[in-house]
Each structure stands twice: as C-alpha cells, then as structure tokens.
C-alpha cells in the first residue's frame, strides 16, 4: 500500500506521515499519546424541572423521532416550540432536552432570552449569550462583536454535538446568531411568537403547543386531592378546566388552593371564576411568576398600538370565532388602522389562533383583553366600544340577510343598505346554508350581545334573518326562543306588518316543533295585526298568516276550519297575483281533502298546485306538493308513481339542504319501497334518515331509524 502511494504521489510532504511510513516499513509502532484531559467540565445547564409534564406524550414522541431522523442523516435540528403564554412551552422544551441530552456528548447549553419577562428585565443580547456559550465550551476568543462571536460558536459546534435550549425568545434577531452552521447539534427554541423571520431563513421544525386535553387538565387541577374528594369534586374540577381553557399555567395556579379545599370550597371557587371580570384575579398569584394575568400582560405589551386595539375589539366580538371579513370590518371602526397587518401581528404573537379559515381567541385572552387592555384611539374607549358593537352586529345582520334572501326570497326584512362592510354573496341556497352553518353560533352570540347592550333593532332583525336556516336545520327550539325575544324587542321599533311577520315565524317554529296550541295562538296574533293593514305588503302578510293558521287547525284535526282558512288565503293570494302563495294554499286545501279521504279530489287540487309552483322559483313549495301527491298515490296503491314523486321531492330537499323535510320524505319513501319488495333500497333510505337525524341532533329519530334498519337486516 505504501509502495503504491509513493508510486502515485511520491514521498509524503507531511513529516508526520513520512515518519509513519518509515515506522511501518521497519515494523516499529509508536504508542499513541494519551488523550489530553479536558480543560473544562462538559456543560449540563438545563434548569431543574419543577413539575411533571402531563398530556404531551404525542408531542414528545414526534419531536424525538424528528431528532433521531436528523441524527441518522448526519444533520442537526432546529426546533421551535411556539404557543400562547402559559401553555407550557418551557416545560415541554426542558423535558425534551433532558430526554435526549445523553445522546449529545458535547454537553447541554441553556439560555433564557427574557423575551417576555416584563418591566425591569431587558431581552437578552445575543453577544452576551455568545460569549458565555464559548466560554462554557472551553473556547477562548478575542472577538467582541456579535458577528465574530457567532462565527466562533459555529466553528466550535461544527465538530461538537450539543443540545442548546434557547428559552423565551421575543424575536428572530435574538436567536439567529446563536444557531450552529453545520454539525449535528440540536437547538430547541421556545417563543410566544411564531418568529416568521427565523422560519423563512432556516430549516426549522415548528411545533405549536396547544392547551391540554380535558383529562390531562383535570389531572393537574386535582393532583393534590385524595381519591374520595376527587370523585366528589369531579363536576367542579371539570368546570374549572373549562373556565381555564385547559391552559397549564392557569391549571397549576389552581392546583394548590383546590387541593386544600372541601368540595364546597371548590364549588365556591368555580362560582368566582365564572365571573369573567374576576377570573384573572383568581389566577393571579401576587409576587409569583405563575400569574396568568402577568403572562398575558407581557404578551400584550409587546404589541403595536394597532394590534392592541384590534385585540380589544376582537374581545368585544361575541365569538366564539370569526371569519376574515368580520375581523377586517372590526378594524373599520378605527380609521387609519391597517386591520390586516394588525391581525397578522396577533397571529404571530399567538394571541389569535387561525383554524380552518376562522380566527379564535382563547377564553382567558378574551377576558384579559376585555378587562386589562386599553385601545389606542383618539376617541374615548366607551365611544369606540359602542361603534365596535354596532359594527359587529351590522356585519352579522347584513350577511345573515344576504343568505336569507337566497334561502327565502319570498320575504323581505326592513334593513338599510350596507355601508363599508364586507358582505357575502351566495349564488345558491347551498352556499347560503354553508355560510350560516359556519356563522350560526356566532350570530346567536350576537343576539345575546344586542340584548345586553339594549339594541332591540338588532335583536329582532337578526333573530328573524336566521329562521329559514333554523327550520332547515331542525333548530326549532332555538328559533322559538329567539323569536320570543324578537317579539318583545319588536314592540317599540317595528311596524305592525313586521310584528305580524315575527308572530308568524314564531307560530311556524312552534307548529314544526309540535307545539300546536302555542302556534295557533301566535298565528292568531299575526292575523289580528294583519287585519288592519290595507297596503299590498300588509295584505300579503295577512294571506300568509291565514294560511299558517289553517295549517295549525289542520294539525289539530279541525279540517273544516282548516279548509276555510286555506281558501280565504287562496282568494287573497290570487287577488294579489302571488302565484307561490296561491299554490301553497291550494296544496293546503289538497291535504285537507286527502285527510277526509277524498283522494281523487285531492289529486286534482294538488296537481293544479304543482302546475302553478312550476311557474315560480319556489323549489321548497314544489317539493312539498310532490310529497303530498306521493302520499295520495301511495294510499291508492299506485306505488311506482308514488316512488317517482318521492324521488323528485327528496332530490329537491337534498339540494336545498332541508334536513327535516328530506328525512320525513325518505321515511315515507322507504315504507313504499318495502311494500314494493325493494328491501335493499329501503335500507339505503333508512341509513340516510339515520344520518340526517344525527346531523339534527335528534337522538330519538336516530334510534327509530336504527330500529327500522335492525328489522330489515
């Protein structure tokens, strides 16, 4: 081998290599000098772990797998643990570094960067941290500026494998100079901010630390309880977990007082935390670093004035979430502020979470913003709050009405044109329903906000705008409750015609829920209000009220009164030239005839109603008549025609996303299929019924559908 080396390259130029060749040729082997003893101790600087980390097993597993994968590739790793204040980032980072530091012989370095330590503590300068790290690694340097020190650290870490924990970073500038260049070291960074400059410039594994699951959160709160006390206090502990938003810092603050209290004392603590304006005081430990209020104070202090103001406004929004347009319309209450830039800043600071294109505030962030944050504005805070509330409610109302006009174009609510608001423009009923699916809970919270702030116009209008959606989603109890509030709110601020409409929608909700007597009572109130109106809108409202009252009489079994009411409504609709109304009234007459057993007469009447409906764009009315015709054909044993009509009606209901009507039509359709011997098709129909009933939260209906399926299988 030596001869081959010399033939190719000649004698070695390095004296050490030449001497080695001579020794090997002569058979003389020099003993290797003993390795020098290290001149310093290997650093192991992790701070003590003051408590067990609970509920993060999945996070630890994924992070350790990532580190192992990078090491197997001969690469280092940079991991950013980010999340809101108090979510447990530092505890997770410490536990992670402890679990892997045995694989890194070069040591473990730790630095608190003091990014959010509050007044009196400045964020750590990279130059100071660099000097200490180099000294801890046994490297002496004459460099003093940050760039030279950063280069020296990279050189040292290129051949030394260490773990670096950089805790509580405020910005990327604190972190970037401390990162290795090459080598196999692992860096774990914690920050309340998402550090976008870091993640765009470096290969960083970002792990967002979320609040705990309910079971793990309850384990923290009840850690100091005895077994028997824990069982007695379980409902109270669950409520505390909810009130703390499963935030580890808040839970650990409560653990000690909870552990010392009787079940009654824990229940009293729940009562105090249930008061939003007192909650953060209960979670504040004076003179102690474990204070939720102080932790959030430090996060908010780092915000710009624009972001702080938008956070305050988002806390006024009733929640639980909002879409982009709602957030931007909030910013419109403060001219000159860039709402999009402020929202980005809040997301980067983990004070606002974006999930599935919606923006959310943690409950404790919302409470803190409402009671401890001041907006930056040239107007008094109370005036800005009033303007913000009006903007929130106007946005909700205008968008709900935009959907309502598509879902139920037959009616009109008295609202002004939108001014400077972002309004959705659904092109189909499916789009309108999907929008309200996302916004429904937010709108209910908006009604509550209008009630608290004594804004009756928004109470009744927003409640009314939601009714067609509620009917199609089987939310009749919600509709009845909100329309009862709307009826009271509309007394002093709505016209008689509009008040009649409120009574009519309330009656319709009650009839759909099977509350027939109440429905008839409110339908009668709508008729009384409409009787004194002479304009076209008033007469049309009266016709609708008469038709609805007739439906109530029919469900009560009073067919004569029902037919009289339907025919009275029919005359009014025809006089007003309202085809859809006339067709609905004819269908009402046909159902009365069907109820009396006059099937031939009912077929003719409902056939005429279908002919008229097909001249209109009222798809729901058309499906209703198709269902009536199908019932008539089914009872006449004309099953093929009944099935064809049901299929047409079901397709329309499905397209309209009208779950209750689709489920009813499918149930009747399945019975006709069974009587025709088409069992497998009946099974599919009942399966769809079960799914729809589950969507509607109708547990009894689900069980009935499952029972039908059980009998067929």
């Amino acid at each position: 081998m030596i001869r081959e080396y010399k033939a190719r390259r000649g004698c070695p130029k390095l004296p050490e290599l030449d001497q080695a060749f001579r020794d090997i040729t002569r058979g003389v082997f020099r003993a290797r000098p003993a390795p020098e003893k290290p001149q310093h101790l290997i650093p192991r600087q992790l701070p003590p772990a003051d408590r067990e980390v609970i509920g993060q097993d999945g996070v630890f597993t994924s992070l350790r797998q990532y580190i192992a994968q990078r090491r197997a590739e001969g690469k280092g790793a940079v991991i950013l643990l980010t999340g809101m204040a108090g979510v447990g980032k530092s505890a997770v980072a410490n536990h992670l570094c402890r679990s892997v530091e045995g694989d890194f012989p070069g040591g473990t370095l730790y630095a608190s960067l003091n990014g959010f330590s509050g007044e009196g503590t400045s964020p750590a300068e990279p130059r100071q941290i660099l000097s200490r790290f180099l000294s801890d690694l046994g490297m002496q340097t004459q460099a003093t500026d940050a760039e030279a020190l950063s280069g020296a650290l990279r050189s040292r870490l290129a051949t030394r494998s260490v773990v670096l924990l950089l805790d509580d970073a405020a910005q990327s500038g604190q972190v970037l100079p401390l990162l290795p260049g090459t080598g196999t070291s692992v860096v774990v960074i914690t920050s309340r901010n998402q550090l976008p400059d870091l993640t765009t410039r470096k290969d960083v594994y970002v792990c967002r630390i979320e609040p705990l699951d309910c079971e793990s959160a309850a384990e923290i709160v009840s850690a100091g309880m005895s077994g028997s006390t824990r069982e007695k206090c379980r409902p109270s502990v669950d409520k505390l977990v909810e009130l703390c938003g499963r935030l580890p810092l808040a839970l650990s603050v409560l653990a000690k007082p909870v552990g010392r209290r009787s079940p009654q004392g824990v229940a009293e603590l729940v009562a105090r935390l249930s008061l939003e304006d007192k909650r953060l005081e209960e979670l504040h430990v004076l003179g102690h670093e474990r204070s939720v209020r102080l932790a959030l104070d430090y996060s908010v202090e780092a915000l710009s004035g624009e972001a702080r103001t938008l956070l305050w406004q988002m806390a006024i929004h009733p929640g639980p979430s909002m879409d982009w347009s709602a957030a931007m319309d909030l910013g419109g209450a403060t001219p000159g502020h860039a709402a999009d830039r402020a929202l980005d800043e809040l997301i980067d600071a983990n004070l606002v979470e974006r999930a599935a294109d919606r923006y959310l505030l943690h409950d404790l962030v919302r409470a803190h913003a409402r009671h401890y944050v001041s907006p930056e504005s040239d107007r008094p805070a109370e005036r800005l709050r009033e303007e913000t509330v009006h903007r929130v409610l106007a946005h909700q109302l205008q968008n709900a009405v935009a959907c309502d006009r598509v879902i139920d174009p037959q009616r009109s609510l008295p609202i002004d044109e939108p001014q400077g608001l972002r309004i959705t423009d659904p092109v189909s009923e499916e789009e309108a329903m999907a929008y309200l699916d996302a916004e429904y809970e937010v709108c209910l919270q908006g009604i509550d906000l209008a009630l608290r702030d004594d804004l009756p116009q928004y109470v009744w209008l927003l409640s009314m705008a939601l009714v067609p959606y509620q009917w199609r989603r089987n939310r009749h109890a919600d509709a009845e409750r909100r329309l009862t509030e709307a009826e009271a709110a509309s007394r002093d601020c709505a016209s008689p015609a509009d008040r009649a409409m409120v009574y009519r929608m309330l009656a319709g909700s009650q009839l759909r829920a099977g509350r027939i007597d109440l429905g008839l009572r409110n339908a009668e109130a709508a008729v009384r209000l409409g009787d004194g109106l002479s304009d076209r809108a008033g007469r049309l409202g009266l016709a609708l009220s008469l038709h609805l009252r007739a439906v109530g009489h029919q469900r009560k079994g009073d067919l004569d009164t029902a037919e009289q009411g339907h025919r009275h409504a029919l005359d009014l609709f025809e006089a007003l030239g309202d085809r859809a109304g006339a067709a609905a009234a004819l269908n009402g007459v046909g159902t009365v005839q069907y109820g009396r057993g006059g099937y031939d007469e009912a077929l003719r009447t409902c056939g005429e109603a279908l002919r008229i409906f097909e001249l209109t764009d009222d798809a729901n009315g058309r499906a209703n008549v198709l269902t009536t015709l199908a019932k008539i054909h089914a009872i006449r044993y004309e099953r093929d025609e009944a099935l064809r009509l049901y299929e047409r009606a079901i397709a329309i209901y499905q397209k309209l996303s009208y779950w209750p009507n689709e489920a009813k039509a499918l149930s009747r359709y399945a019975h006709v299929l069974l009587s025709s011997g088409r069992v497998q098709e009946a099974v599919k129909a009942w399966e769809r019924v079960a799914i729809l009933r589950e969507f509607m939260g109708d547990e009894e209906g689900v069980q009935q559908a499952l029972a039908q399926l059980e009998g067929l299988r």
Side-chain angles (χ1 to χ4, degrees), residues 409-625:
Q410 306 300 320
R411 68 180 190 142
S412 177
L413 293 173
I415 67 166
D416 298 328
E417 288 300 312
Q419 299 294 325
L421 297 172
R422 290 167 169 80
I423 308 301
T424 188
D425 185 22
V427 298
S428 66
E429 293 182 57
E430 298 97 311
E431 280 191 22
M433 291 296 290
Y435 179 89
L436 289 175
D437 280 339
E439 295 293 331
Y440 179 66
E441 294 298 332
V442 181
C443 288
L444 294 185
Q445 295 287 339
I447 296 170
D448 288 336
L449 174 62
L451 284 165
R452 287 194 302 270
D453 281 36
D454 192 23
L455 298 170
Q457 191 79 359
Y458 286 114
V459 173
W460 86 265
L461 285 171
L462 191 50
S463 298
M464 286 289 290
L466 294 176
V467 176
Y469 167 83
Q470 290 168 322
W471 287 356
R472 294 192 184 193
R473 287 292 183 261
N474 202 45
R475 298 179 182 270
H476 302 127
D478 281 356
E480 182 176 5
R481 175 192 164 195
R482 296 303 179 174
L483 287 168
T484 300
E485 295 165 346
E487 187 278 320
S490 67
R491 291 172 190 169
D492 296 326
C493 61
S495 69
D498 290 332
R499 288 190 62 212
M501 180 166 54
V502 174
Y503 277 116
R504 192 162 56 247
M505 303 306 277
L506 177 56
S509 301
Q510 291 165 334
L511 291 175
R512 283 169 169 79
R515 296 160 65 82
I516 297 173
D517 289 336
L518 280 174
L520 271 172
R521 189 184 310 162
N522 284 303
E524 186 62 47
V527 170
R528 284 198 303 270
L529 279 168
D531 262 338
L533 302 175
S534 58
D535 62 323
R536 187 181 189 282
R539 302 304 288 166
L540 181 58
L542 175 60
L544 291 167
S545 300
L546 288 167
H547 173 58
L548 182 64
R549 186 177 64 178
V551 170
H553 284 301
Q554 188 173 338
R555 293 189 182 179
K556 202 170 176 63
D558 187 352
L559 297 184
D560 290 340
T561 305
E563 182 173 8
Q564 182 181 358
H566 285 310
R567 291 194 180 280
H568 189 179
L570 175 62
D571 291 342
L572 273 175
F573 283 129
E574 288 180 338
L576 293 165
D578 188 307
R579 286 177 170 173
L586 272 173
N587 187 46
V589 173
T591 57
V592 170
Q593 293 165 341
Y594 167 80
R596 290 192 181 118
Y599 304 132
D600 292 341
E601 187 180 20
L603 276 178
R604 288 192 297 272
T605 302
C606 292
E608 176 63 12
L610 179 60
R611 185 191 68 78
I612 298 172
F613 265 128
E614 287 175 342
L615 300 175
T616 75
D617 58 1
D618 188 347
N620 182 58
R622 188 160 61 251
N624 290 341
V625 176

Side-chain angles (χ1 to χ4, degrees), residues 38-84:
Q39 299 299 311
H40 63 284
L41 296 174
I42 294 175
R44 296 293 182 191
Q45 299 178 351
L46 291 177
D50 56 352
R51 66 183 186 274
E52 181 185 1
V53 178
I54 295 173
Q56 300 290 1
D57 291 348
V59 171
F60 291 133
T61 298
S62 62
L63 291 175
R64 283 195 289 262
Q65 287 175 347
Y66 176 71
I67 292 171
Q69 175 190 336
R70 297 288 289 187
R71 292 192 73 218
E73 296 169 354
K75 299 176 182 177
V78 179
I79 296 170
L80 171 62
L81 303 182
T82 186
M84 68 174 289

